Amino acid sequence: MTKQEFNIESAEKEDKESGGIFLTTFQLVFIGVTAACVITAVGCMCALLPDRSCDEVRVTEPPEEPMTTTPRMTPERTEPPVTEPRRTTEGDMTTIAPTEEPWNGRLSYDLIPDSYDLYLRPYLYPEDGGEDKRFTFDGRVTIHFRCDVATNVITLHLLDIELDIYTLSDTDGNDISISGHTLEAKYEFVHFNLDSYLEAGKDYVLYIEYLGQLRAGLSGFYRSSYQQGNETRWLATTQMQATSARQALPCFDEPDFKAVFRTEIEHRDDMVALSNGMETRTNESEIEGWTISRYLPTPKMSTYLLAFVVGYFDKLETWTDNDILLRVWSRPEAVNNTQYSLEIGSNLTTYFEEYFNISFPLEKQDMIAVPDFSAGAMENWGLIIYRETNLLYDSAVNSASNKQRVAEVVSHELAHMWFGNLVTCEWWDDLWLNEGFATYMEGTIGVNHAEPSWLMREQFVTIDLQSVFEPDALGTSHPVQVPVNHPDEINEIFDSISYSKGASINRMLNNILGEDVYTSGVNNYLQTHREDNAKTDDLWNALTEADKNIGDNDVKKIMDTWTLQMGYPVVNVRRLNETHFNASQEHFLINPEAGVDDRYTDLGYQWYVYLTYTQETDPNFEEPDNIWMEPYMTTTLVPVSNNMSDDDWFLVNIKQYGYYRVNYDNDNWARLSQQLTNDHKVLPTENRAQLINDAFTLARVGRVDYPIALNLTLYMEQEEGYVPWEATLGGISYIRDMFSRYYGYGPLERYMREKVQALYESLGWIDDPDNDPHLDQFNRENAIATSCRYRNQDCLDQASTLFSQYMTNDANNVDNEPDYMINPISPNLKSVVYSYGIQEGGQVEWEFGWRKYQETTDSSEKVKWLVALSYSQAPWILSRYLDYSLDTDLVRSQDSSTVIVSVSRNYIGRSIAWDYLRSNWDTYVDYYRTSPSGLGYIVTEVTEDFNTQLELEEVVAFKEGKDLGPATRAYDQAIEVINTNIAWMKSSATIVAEWFEDAAPPIGE
């Protein structure tokens, strides 16, 4: 506690011990005056405030049926509670008075917007409006709003906007005088001070003219550019989520202030101008060579979904089966690379209309790729904006993984049109409702429908479930429902917990309720709250209602244990006799000694766990036995078939639908390991991956002996499945990273080189993207990358040869043939060959790669080169490369994080990247402060492999005197990870090194 807190506590203790309470004269007077004021205020309110009928009372819970009138519903606030400014009341008029009490910057519900009429004119070139207006925009906005509580102050959000003219009137046209405005920078507020009072229940119109900035940052209404030949082409685009609409217009910039937007944009007539609504007409501008585009009004939506793009673009288009116009836009030279996203976008738009049983509510859906974008994509209603890598695909240049990435992101964003846009979270503490559901839909439902041969339901286990287990095992994790207020806190939760954990518990719930019940509940939820806001409990209520005639699940009671507390359980299963097992649960932590942040919940870190299980004799993986484990209860598992042998293995969490880990007694682990050796295909792909992932993680914290976990990999020469290989490589990667400067790396390298040899030889270097199964292409890349990483000389020679051939072909390309025609490397193998060609080469190879990065216009190809260039073994080259990454003429600001993170993953570059981050911290903050998760991602990744006390001390010292902003949570997690790494080196490094020494082939074989 602070000194002040200690003094207060001591004084209270003395009062209690002496048996009385002592007050000063001043305190007595203050209490008396305060009491008189309260009595007077209450009396005035009772006498003078207008009565409200029952229909007008604002409630804290949504009604059971959709409302057809509007009193506005006031959401329950998250902790800490909002402390509003003090108000003095005269009749039915309220005046805001200064207050010294803390306030979290949330808007009050005095004023409720109905619609915005927005006009914009961006200036991108000097000739547009003169050099002094370049990279600015003129704006006009007319806000129609209702007054719910009488006030003489209008408060809006505003940032980096210069106000010019503003007027206020009622809907009868009567002017209301505004005496002036004041800015409150702390909360990004503008207060318009009125000379009279707005009346409760009346509608008003606020008109504002303003000047905004088209900044080079990646938020609000910002500028970007690309090269077309020798010409720089400028464009203006948007990223409003989470709190950046206020940079484009003064507005009520919170998600539950939904309104209709009617937009018009004045722009050069040779440019394309897009917004959320369909363009209805264009009018000639008073400026020669300019035009004014107008757009249909949007449905009621949140400000963070507002979008507009102005620039030189081309498109492909189609009509969906349900007559929605779908257009995919890009730089003109890349427009042919939009064909795949157009096809899958059309497919999924129709499919989601059927899945949700709700028609897409707009006339068109635009999807556009822009060169600079902080996120992967943004789900703006009717105008989804993408980073180029996530929308453009060229089969001649890009890999199967690039194609899958495009499919996943398009699916994710289109799912948002319903879950997020049609129904929106009331406040950002329920962000997971938007992102968790869209992440679940993207692969398991959407891409699985469009591309069934990709086996996305199997891939989910490694893409989302197992990947989020690691951060969610930290004591510094957070619940999926987490209280947030400050914009930095909001940006912090755009992380894997909101996305991948949210998706994982949706998948788990679908498995518990069944597809029909789950889908019915989701449809009811969307229908009930369409064009409105909702909370997590609204979804639980809808799912409980859907289940009531089929099961007896209280979805809220079950799911509160998964959403209101962080982390997850490990279920300990122990054999009682030949047919009975006991199961108990406890909170799994990667670093139990560090403790947990228990401020979020009083549920005690216990969960309602839906256990599914089967056994060796007559196993049933499609309809396994199941039982509920309740909090604080030990559960007995008995196979229903009663035909279990006393030497059978026992398996829990079938296909890893449950969001929990499983630990067995040593005998059962040994039997499962033997099953993998004898016939691994008896177990489903997901469970083979689960066993390896669970065992390696449990061994990491000492719950399983490391030899038990490592023995599970002995069968891997026989494994051909992509998902189990992904799980194995993930489990080994932690040991590899800890061993990068430790003697155990040598035997680990020999062991892994041997284990992957069969897969390497089986799949080989001959890649046939047109005929090879999708996951075979993924597995080939894994096999070659793993072989090269662990220094299979044939692999390194092949990579070097292909890289050299590419350099030779390029040098001899006197006819300037397109690069894909002279590049001998298959698109699926480019990442591997580029990386190891750079690693095994020197400065000449690096300079070739750097030139190719600069020359290519394909965004996915650029990313491959950015990562590959970090493989250099020369410290001076890596240092120079980091300097290049912060020169926006060389590397786009959105990609600088890729460079520093990739350099840090090179064991030679680890300390170089860390020193560079510390030295250039302010620059990275400027790049990524408003980017959801960007800054935190850098901090987490650059420090992830630190495992010495000196590195820990450096990271701890780094925080002193710094505002970490949205990286605060990531920094705390980094400290915890480093502590666990140090502990692991002390407890496990020697044991693991000795196991690999025994299991690896001798040196030279």
Side-chain angles (χ1 to χ4, degrees):
M1 65 180 67
T2 66
K3 182 178 179 181
Q4 182 183 21
E5 290 169 334
F6 177 80
N7 290 339
I8 292 172
E9 184 176 303
S10 300
E12 291 174 347
K13 183 177 180 181
E14 289 174 4
D15 287 342
K16 291 175 182 176
E17 289 175 349
S18 61
I21 298 175
F22 299 96
L23 299 174
T24 66
T25 302
F26 173 78
Q27 289 172 323
L28 289 169
V29 172
F30 177 79
I31 291 172
V33 171
T34 302
C37 291
V38 170
I39 292 169
T40 302
V42 172
C44 289
M45 284 189 289
C46 292
L48 299 174
L49 284 178
D51 292 338
R52 291 182 179 270
S53 69
C54 293
D55 290 338
E56 292 173 321
V57 174
R58 294 186 298 183
V59 296
T60 57
E61 294 291 338
E64 294 184 0
E65 298 296 331
M67 299 186 67
T68 56
T69 59
T70 61
R72 180 178 181 78
M73 293 175 290
T74 304
E76 294 178 347
R77 295 292 190 176
T78 57
E79 294 294 334
V82 176
T83 304
E84 295 190 0
R86 290 195 299 271
R87 299 174 182 272
T88 58
T89 305
E90 299 178 8
D92 61 353
M93 297 177 294
T94 303
T95 304
I96 297 179
T99 178
E100 295 179 359
E101 296 174 346
W103 184 32
N104 70 358
R106 296 284 300 278
L107 294 172
S108 73
Y109 290 87
D110 295 354
L111 308 175
I112 308 300
D114 177 71
S115 65
Y116 297 79
D117 296 320
L118 178 62
Y119 160 90
L120 299 166
R121 181 199 288 166
Y123 301 98
L124 291 166
Y125 293 89
E127 55 269 29
D128 289 349
E131 188 62 49
D132 60 330
K133 295 209 73 172
R134 190 181 185 191
F135 301 141
T136 67
F137 62 94
D138 291 336
R140 298 195 300 263
V141 64
T142 303
I143 307 175
H144 302 262
F145 64 91
R146 184 182 71 252
C147 177
D148 266 12
V149 178
T151 180
N152 68 341
V153 176
I154 299 173
T155 298
L156 303 175
H157 286 105
L158 178 144
L159 180 63
D160 295 335
I161 283 175
E162 179 182 336
L163 300 180
D164 186 9
I165 298 171
Y166 41 81
T167 61
L168 178 67
S169 64
D170 61 23
T171 51
D172 295 326
N174 300 312
D175 291 338
I176 298 169
S177 177
I178 303 177
S179 60
H181 72 274
T182 56
L183 301 178
E184 192 172 2
K186 180 179 181 181
Y187 301 125
E188 298 172 355
F189 281 163
V190 56
H191 304 288
F192 294 97
N193 305 302
L194 313 182
D195 289 334
S196 58
Y197 295 87
L198 303 182
E199 297 180 31
K202 287 194 65 173
D203 294 334
Y204 294 90
V205 180
L206 177 64
Y207 173 81
I208 306 171
E209 294 184 10
Y210 59 95
L211 178 68
Q213 302 293 321
L214 291 172
R215 299 190 181 277
L218 302 174
S219 64
F221 193 22
Y222 67 94
R223 71 178 187 264
S224 177
S225 65
Y226 61 89
Q227 291 298 122
Q228 185 160 350
N230 294 323
E231 180 186 356
T232 299
R233 292 219 154 178
W234 291 96
L235 63 119
T237 186
T238 56
Q239 170 58 15
M240 305 302 197
Q241 194 179 48
T243 60
S244 294
R246 62 197 65 176
Q247 293 177 266
L249 72 158
C251 58
F252 297 86
D253 198 13
E254 294 181 9
D256 58 342
F257 286 88
K258 284 192 168 186
V260 172
F261 288 85
R262 292 178 287 267
T263 303
E264 61 180 30
I265 300 175
E266 189 168 5
H267 57 95
R268 289 183 170 206
D269 57 16
D270 60 344
M271 284 183 167
V272 171
L274 304 172
S275 189
N276 304 84
M278 183 70 184
E279 57 270 22
T280 58
R281 67 181 188 277
T282 58
N283 292 354
E284 288 188 8
S285 166
E286 294 179 358
I287 306 173
E288 184 178 353
W290 286 56
T291 191
I292 301 174
S293 295
R294 291 181 172 83
Y295 309 88
L296 288 174
T298 69
K300 285 181 64 177
M301 69 179 195
S302 304
T303 50
Y304 78 85
L305 296 172
L306 183 63
F308 12 91
V309 179
V310 180
Y312 295 102
F313 295 96
D314 203 352
K315 71 179 186 300
L316 296 182
E317 63 181 41
T318 189
W319 291 88
T320 72
D321 290 348
N322 294 330
D323 294 327
I324 303 299
L325 176 61
L326 180 67
R327 305 182 296 192
V328 186
W329 302 80
S330 71
R331 293 176 286 112
E333 65 184 40
V335 70
N336 290 332
N337 297 345
T338 65
Q339 184 63 48
Y340 179 67
S341 53
L342 181 74
E343 292 170 0
I344 197 168
S346 176
N347 181 326
L348 290 174
T349 299
T350 300
Y351 177 66
F352 285 151
E353 286 183 304
E354 297 168 354
Y355 185 90
F356 295 124
N357 196 27
I358 298 174
S359 298
F360 182 71
L362 294 168
E363 299 78 11
K364 60 90 178 178
Q365 176 66 74
D366 284 322
M367 304 195 296
I368 187 167
V370 299
D372 293 290
F373 203 65
S374 61
M378 180 59 211
E379 65 267 20
N380 315 299
W381 225 351
L383 178 54
I384 306 173
I385 302 177
Y386 293 79
R387 187 179 289 205
E388 287 191 342
T389 52
N390 296 327
L391 192 67
L392 307 181
Y393 171 73
D394 180 353
S395 61
V397 177
N398 304 137
S399 65
S401 60
N402 293 138
K403 186 176 185 179
Q404 180 170 308
R405 176 64 176 166
V406 168
E408 288 174 317
V409 178
V410 168
S411 180
H412 181 105
E413 303 309 324
L414 287 174
H416 268 310
M417 300 302 106
W418 289 266
F419 235 97
N421 297 9
L422 187 70
V423 179
T424 312
C425 58
E426 280 190 353
W427 181 242
W428 298 108
D429 45 14
D430 277 320
L431 171 69
W432 86 275
L433 273 179
N434 294 9
E435 299 300 348
F437 192 88
T439 303
Y440 172 59
M441 289 296 297
E442 75 180 37
T444 306
I445 305 298
V447 180
N448 189 69
H449 162 77
E451 301 282 5
S453 67
W454 293 4
L455 304 180
M456 294 303 298
R457 295 191 174 186
E458 289 185 9
Q459 288 195 60
F460 182 94
V461 168
T462 51
I463 291 174
D464 287 297
L465 178 64
Q466 293 180 2
S467 66
V468 77
F469 267 159
E470 185 165 351
D472 204 25
L474 297 173
T476 49
S477 183
H478 65 82
V480 291
Q481 285 180 268
V482 57
V484 294
N485 288 288
H486 190 278
D488 284 349
E489 294 176 342
I490 297 169
N491 286 331
E492 280 183 345
I493 64 168
F494 282 82
D495 63 3
S496 60
I497 302 299
S498 298
Y499 286 71
S500 293
K501 182 176 182 178
S504 298
I505 63 176
N506 263 297
R507 174 176 174 264
M508 176 177 68
L509 186 55
N510 188 324
N511 179 243
I512 293 169
L513 299 177
E515 178 68 28
D516 291 343
V517 171
Y518 179 82
T519 305
S520 175
V522 166
N523 292 345
N524 290 340
Y525 165 83
L526 293 173
Q527 290 283 7
T528 301
H529 302 283
R530 62 185 303 162
E531 291 193 35
D532 207 341
N533 299 84
K535 302 191 295 289
T536 295
D537 282 357
D538 297 320
L539 178 59
W540 300 157
N541 292 338
L543 289 166
T544 299
E545 181 70 17
D547 187 52
K548 70 178 183 180
N549 294 323
I550 298 173
D552 58 356
N553 294 296
D554 183 340
V555 176
K556 175 176 168 53
K557 182 178 72 173
I558 294 165
M559 296 307 294
D560 275 356
T561 64
W562 297 98
T563 61
L564 296 180
Q565 55 187 354
M566 64 185 183
Y568 55 88
V570 54
V571 174
N572 300 300
V573 181
R574 297 293 182 266
R575 185 185 293 266
L576 294 176
N577 53 47
E578 62 272 15
T579 59
H580 289 64
F581 290 76
N582 266 359
S584 59
Q585 63 167 296
E586 57 185 306
H587 185 193
F588 179 77
L589 290 168
I590 206 72
N591 184 15
E593 300 300 321
V596 297
D597 187 342
D598 58 1
R599 61 182 165 164
Y600 297 122
T601 180
D602 58 0
L603 297 177
Y605 293 106
Q606 291 280 302
W607 291 262
Y608 283 92
V609 184
Y610 185 67
L611 299 176
T612 56
Y613 55 96
T614 193
Q615 70 291 320
E616 184 175 359
T617 303
D618 295 332
N620 189 339
F621 297 107
E622 299 307 317
E623 296 182 359
D625 296 336
N626 61 81
I627 192 170
W628 277 105
M629 173 188 285
E630 297 189 8
Y632 303 105
M633 299 290 288
T634 297
T635 303
T636 301
L637 310 182
V638 183
V640 174
S641 59
N642 287 321
N643 58 358
M644 182 177 181
S645 169
D646 59 4
D647 60 355
D648 271 6
W649 49 255
F650 197 73
L651 186 68
V652 177
N653 199 5
I654 304 307
K655 298 189 178 180
Q656 208 173 12
Y657 278 110
Y659 190 73
Y660 57 90
R661 295 194 182 280
V662 184
N663 191 8
Y664 303 99
D665 56 67
N666 289 351
D667 286 344
N668 201 57
W669 276 118
R671 290 168 179 165
L672 288 166
S673 183
Q674 190 61 48
Q675 179 64 67
L676 291 175
T677 300
N678 294 343
D679 183 2
H680 63 280
K681 293 184 179 179
V682 167
L683 303 181
T685 299
E686 300 96 325
N687 282 114
R688 303 201 301 270
Q690 173 213 8
L691 288 172
I692 292 168
N693 182 258
D694 279 355
F696 269 77
T697 309
L698 292 165
R700 184 172 161 187
V701 298
R703 288 179 173 269
V704 166
D705 293 336
Y706 249 112
I708 289 175
L710 292 165
N711 285 343
L712 290 170
T713 68
L714 292 171
Y715 91 101
M716 289 304 293
E717 293 104 328
Q718 309 166 45
E719 182 62 77
E720 297 176 349
Y722 168 71
V723 171
W725 263 108
E726 276 287 277
T728 300
L729 295 176
I732 292 293
S733 69
Y734 179 77
I735 300 173
R736 179 199 71 214
D737 293 338
M738 293 300 98
F739 276 9
S740 62
R741 295 174 293 186
Y742 186 71
Y743 79 90
Y745 188 86
L748 164 65
E749 183 178 80
R750 300 198 307 275
Y751 179 80
M752 289 302 297
R753 193 162 60 227
E754 178 190 54
K755 287 299 168 187
V756 78
Q757 184 65 25
L759 191 67
Y760 175 73
E761 293 176 351
S762 170
L763 295 173
W765 283 79
I766 305 302
D767 187 50
D768 185 1
D770 293 330
N771 297 304
D772 288 344
H774 185 71
L775 292 188
D776 278 4
Q777 296 177 59
F778 279 20
N779 232 3
R780 177 179 292 108
E781 183 179 3
N782 262 353
I784 294 174
T786 303
S787 296
C788 282
R789 174 180 287 279
Y790 294 110
R791 302 207 64 80
N792 176 321
Q793 196 57 51
D794 177 73
C795 183
L796 294 173
D797 290 345
Q798 292 264 26
S800 295
T801 298
L802 282 169
F803 197 87
S804 296
Q805 185 180 341
Y806 183 22
M807 292 177 66
T808 300
N809 292 353
D810 181 76
N812 296 331
N813 185 22
V814 294
D815 296 327
N816 292 318
E817 295 283 356
D819 191 80
Y820 73 89
M821 295 185 66
I822 65 167
N823 190 336
I825 306 164
S826 161
N828 285 327
L829 302 182
K830 284 180 176 179
S831 291
V832 177
V833 174
Y834 291 175
S835 297
Y836 289 98
I838 295 288
Q839 176 183 288
E840 298 302 295
Q843 183 178 355
V844 172
E845 286 75 13
W846 196 95
E847 298 295 347
F848 171 77
W850 176 247
R851 177 167 61 82
K852 282 299 176 184
Y853 163 75
Q854 293 175 302
E855 289 176 353
T856 185
T857 59
D858 185 276
S859 52
S860 294
E861 188 81 347
K862 279 185 175 294
V863 171
K864 288 180 174 65
W865 280 118
L866 283 176
V867 174
L869 290 164
S870 72
Y871 273 61
S872 172
Q873 302 296 285
W876 72 268
I877 288 179
L878 296 176
S879 295
R880 186 185 62 173
Y881 186 31
L882 288 168
D883 284 338
Y884 287 176
S885 74
L886 292 185
D887 183 339
T888 54
D889 290 332
L890 300 176
V891 176
R892 293 186 181 277
S893 57
Q894 68 178 16
D895 294 327
S896 64
S897 61
T898 300
V899 175
I900 191 168
V901 167
S902 298
V903 169
S904 75
R905 290 173 178 166
N906 177 343
Y907 76 95
I908 290 175
R910 184 184 303 171
S911 59
I912 297 172
W914 169 234
D915 290 343
Y916 197 81
L917 176 62
R918 288 184 291 175
S919 299
N920 296 276
W921 176 253
D922 290 342
T923 302
Y924 286 106
V925 170
D926 288 343
Y927 274 20
Y928 293 107
R929 176 174 284 279
T930 59
S931 168
S933 76
L935 199 59
Y937 168 73
I938 294 173
V939 171
T940 299
E941 296 296 322
V942 169
T943 63
E944 183 179 34
D945 299 333
F946 289 4
N947 59 8
T948 68
Q949 188 63 34
L950 177 60
E951 288 169 324
L952 175 62
E953 291 170 0
E954 288 180 348
V955 175
V956 170
F958 174 61
K959 184 178 182 181
E960 294 179 6
K962 285 186 176 61
D963 173 15
L964 295 176
T968 300
R969 188 186 298 274
Y971 171 85
D972 293 337
Q973 292 178 340
I975 296 292
E976 185 175 358
V977 167
I978 297 167
N979 274 307
T980 65
N981 293 346
I982 293 170
W984 188 89
M985 291 298 295
K986 292 178 180 177
S987 65
S988 302
T990 300
I991 296 170
V992 173
E994 290 174 352
W995 188 93
F996 280 116
E997 189 64 60
D998 292 338
I1003 296 173
E1005 292 189 8

